[in-house]
């Protein structure tokens, strides 16, 4: 499933333009990302799942220390962004959720972990609770393969089983792309130990020169499509326009534990959220903003909170009058157009909505602003902008793409 051609193209591109384009660093590794909506149950429970995750993120309770028995709801993945990752030698391929909001990489939720000559059982219990699910298991170190044969040796992975993981039906685990600090507390017997992430090991083993991961998502109206791309060690200049603008990581707690940044949000000419801290997260589907900002957005758009879906709902007439939602980051403004603010209408039935209504992808984070994590720019933001998660330089970058102004929704 890793087309050799894409790696070849990347390498050729690197060779041909490396001298002139600093964005392409040495040996970027690109992986396709598939998006899947699981509608096997008629509708998807994405809001319920997102909100459980949002609550856990705000509490910073992604740790084994918080796995109090019985308190964790089972909410299956509704919308997933999956990369195929090989583990072992010969490698078994696992479908892993691409998650910048957590940092442990683990397998075994569906396909059983296959031990090979490279598997080493460290004997350490490991686990993470995600709000919308959890895994427990044993830590192994093993060879991890990304893309066409690029390997990480002795990568720590969590090995779970279908009965010790919850909320991950249809996927095998997580490829954790968050900051190192989020691994603290996940090894049960060594609560202060941090586990080097996949991106960090690629760097320490000399495969990439900077600890950077870049993500390209594209809007879609399909239930299943492979239209995303993950690049380790650099950026892929074929996926964005102009240059990438960077903003420093935020110092505000608890956003600082994630890919946290500062931004303000404007609807039309009205500031709905003053400059404050929040996070960028591939594992959250919608955009969440503080309750006071959400209330202002609702009244400015004239939207109704729809009891069936939990989404804000507007009429076609209100949609015609919808203004831009501007995300102001440093001196740059990222424009979420009216079309970028709505759930793809072709997929309305899958959120339990009506095909004649228009639903907004902005929702309520559940607390008022000023709490150190006042927004989550989730997938519905990231499908309109290229994003760069840069540990080496402690910054997050965004660039516009050909989908920034797309009207596919
Ligand atoms: C399917 O959805 C119904 C209604 O939301 C829910 O009660 C049921 O538990 C779901 N089934 C599964 C297998 O998730
Ligand atoms: C889809 O979700 C249902 C529960 O609603 C689950 O039983 C099933 O395994 C999931 N399938 C896939 C392919 O994710
Ligand atoms: C970001 O916002 C927080 C909270 O408003 C503030 O304390 C901090 O100084 C700002 N700047 C950075 C770089 O964190
Ligand atoms: C850059 O923008 C132009 C005009 O919108 C578009 O045609 C082109 O495909 C974009 N390139 C990339 C890499 O997104």
């Amino acid at each position: 499933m890793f087309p050799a051609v894409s790696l070849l193209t990347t390498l050729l591109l690197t060779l041909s333009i490396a001298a002139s384009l600093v964005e392409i660093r040495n040996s970027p590794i690109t992986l396709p990302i598939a998006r899947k909506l699981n509608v096997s149950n008629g509708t998807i429970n994405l809001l319920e799942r997102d909100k459980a995750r949002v609550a856990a993120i705000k509490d910073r309770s992604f740790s084994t220390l918080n796995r109090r028995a019985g308190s964790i709801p089972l909410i299956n993945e509704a919308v997933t962004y999956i990369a195929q990752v090989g583990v072992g030698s010969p490698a078994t391929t696992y479908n892993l959720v691409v998650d910048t909001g957590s940092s442990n990489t683990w397998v075994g939720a569906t396909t059983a972990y296959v031990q090979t000559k490279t598997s080493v059982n460290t004997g350490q219990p490991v686990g993470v609770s995600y709000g919308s699910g959890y895994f427990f298991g044993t830590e192994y170190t093993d060879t991890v393969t990304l893309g066409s044969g690029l390997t990480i040796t002795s990568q720590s992975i969590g090995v779970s089983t279908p009965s010790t993981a919850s909320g991950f039906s249809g996927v095998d685990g997580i490829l954790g792309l968050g900051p190192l600090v989020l691994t603290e507390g996940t090894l049960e017997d060594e609560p202060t130990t941090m586990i080097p992430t996949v991106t960090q090991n690629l760097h320490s083993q000399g495969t990439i020169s900077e600890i950077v991961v870049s993500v390209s998502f594209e809007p879609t109206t399909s239930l299943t499509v492979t239209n995303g791309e993950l690049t380790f060690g650099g950026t892929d200049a074929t996926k964005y326009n102009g240059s990438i603008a960077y903003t420093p990581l935020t110092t505000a707690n608890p956003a600082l534990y994630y890919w946290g940044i500062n931004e303000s949000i404007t609807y039309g000419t009205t500031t709905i959220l003053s400059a404050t801290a929040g996070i960028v997260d591939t594992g959250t589907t919608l955009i969440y903003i503080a309750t006071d900002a959400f209330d202002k957005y609702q009244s400015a758009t004239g939207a109704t909170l729809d009891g069936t879906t939990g989404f804000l709902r507007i009429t076609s007439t209100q949609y015609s009058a919808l203004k831009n939602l501007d995300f102001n980051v440093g001196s740059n403004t990222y424009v979420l157009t009216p079309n970028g603010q709505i759930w793809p209408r072709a997929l309305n039935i899958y959120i339990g909505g009506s095909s004649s209504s228009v639903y907004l992808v902005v929702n309520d984070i559940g607390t008022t602003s000023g709490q150190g994590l006042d927004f989550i720019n989730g997938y519905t933001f990231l499908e309109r902008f290229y994003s760069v998660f840069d540990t080496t330089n402690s910054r997050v970058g965004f660039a516009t793409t050909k989908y920034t102004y797309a009207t596919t929704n």
Side-chain angles (χ1 to χ4, degrees):
M1 292 303 283
F2 304 120
V5 68
S6 77
L7 178 69
L8 189 63
T9 310
T10 306
L11 293 177
L12 290 175
L13 190 70
T14 308
L15 292 176
S16 61
I17 61 177
S20 60
L21 208 75
V22 288
E23 280 86 359
I24 296 277
R25 306 194 178 100
N26 73 338
S27 307
I29 299 165
T30 63
L31 278 185
I33 306 172
R35 165 177 140 142
K36 290 183 183 153
L37 257 63
N38 180 355
V39 296
S40 67
N41 203 16
T43 59
I44 55 175
N45 53 5
L46 84 83
L47 205 64
E48 185 191 2
R49 195 184 163 278
D50 257 13
K51 289 206 164 182
R53 178 182 175 90
V54 167
I57 285 175
K58 283 194 307 186
D59 289 352
R60 210 177 84 71
S61 60
F62 281 22
S63 116
T64 45
L65 304 177
N66 290 285
R67 60 177 166 104
R68 297 289 168 250
S71 63
I72 302 163
L74 190 169
I75 308 173
N76 275 314
E77 294 280 339
V79 186
T80 46
Y81 312 97
I82 295 167
Q84 294 193 315
V85 174
V87 180
S89 179
T92 301
T93 300
Y94 299 95
N95 291 316
L96 302 187
V97 174
V98 171
D99 189 8
T100 60
S102 71
S103 306
N104 289 72
T105 293
W106 62 274
V107 302
T110 302
T111 307
Y113 175 58
V114 178
Q115 291 195 42
T116 65
K117 62 182 188 296
T118 52
S119 308
V120 177
N121 183 339
T122 73
Q124 292 259 21
V126 62
V128 181
S129 150
Y130 302 94
S132 55
Y134 61 79
F135 89 89
F136 309 131
T138 304
E139 184 198 37
Y140 279 70
T141 60
D142 207 338
T143 296
V144 168
T145 308
L146 301 168
S148 304
L150 290 156
T151 57
I152 306 165
T153 55
S154 299
Q155 171 66 48
S156 163
I157 53 162
V159 171
S160 189
T161 65
S163 61
T164 55
S166 170
F168 292 91
S169 56
V171 298
D172 294 316
I174 288 184
L175 178 63
L177 303 176
L180 176 66
V181 66
L182 284 179
T183 64
E184 192 175 332
T186 63
L187 285 178
E188 195 163 68
D189 297 340
E190 294 184 10
T192 59
T193 298
M194 293 191 253
I195 302 170
T197 65
V198 163
T199 320
Q200 274 162 327
N201 280 332
L202 280 171
H203 179 254
S204 62
Q205 293 176 17
T207 309
I208 58 177
S209 62
E210 296 200 336
I211 310 170
V212 173
V213 177
S214 304
V215 176
S216 164
F217 284 142
E218 297 172 5
T220 181
T221 55
S222 309
L223 291 178
T224 300
V225 65
T226 300
N227 68 356
E229 183 194 84
L230 200 55
T231 299
F232 289 93
T235 59
D236 179 350
T238 66
K239 297 290 183 187
Y240 60 88
N241 259 316
S243 56
I244 293 166
Y246 291 93
T247 192
L249 295 180
T250 190
T251 55
N253 188 351
L256 61 83
Y257 289 99
Y258 301 88
W259 287 108
I261 61 169
N262 285 1
E263 73 183 18
S264 68
I265 303 179
T266 312
Y267 175 77
T269 54
T270 310
T271 297
I272 61 167
L273 185 65
S274 302
T276 188
I279 69 167
V280 184
D281 182 26
T282 59
T284 301
T285 302
L286 302 186
I287 295 163
Y288 291 85
I289 58 177
T291 303
D292 43 318
F294 178 75
D295 290 345
K296 287 180 189 158
Y297 179 68
Q298 180 177 355
S299 69
T301 56
T304 305
L305 188 58
D306 180 63
T308 311
T309 61
F311 281 56
L312 286 179
R313 187 187 69 223
I314 55 174
T315 63
S316 303
T317 310
Q318 287 171 321
Y319 175 54
S320 311
L322 208 60
K323 299 185 171 76
N324 287 339
L325 189 63
D326 291 338
F327 293 74
N328 312 298
V329 183
S331 56
N332 294 281
T333 294
Y334 300 95
V335 176
L336 201 62
T337 64
N339 193 262
Q341 290 168 61
I342 70 170
W343 178 252
R345 282 167 282 186
L347 303 178
N348 278 357
I349 53 166
Y350 299 117
I351 55 168
S354 141
S355 53
S356 58
S357 291
V358 181
Y359 299 91
L360 300 169
V361 296
V362 176
N363 214 290
D364 183 0
I365 209 169
T367 44
T368 52
S369 58
Q371 318 234 350
L373 207 161
D374 296 336
F375 60 84
I376 298 180
N377 293 356
Y379 172 82
T380 46
F381 175 85
L382 296 171
E383 67 183 1
R384 299 287 174 150
F385 302 98
Y386 192 74
S387 53
V388 184
F389 303 92
D390 183 344
T391 299
T392 297
N393 301 295
S394 302
R395 60 187 186 172
V396 169
F398 296 118
T400 58
T401 74
K402 67 175 157 194
Y403 300 102
T404 300
Y405 300 100
T407 53
T408 47
N409 289 342

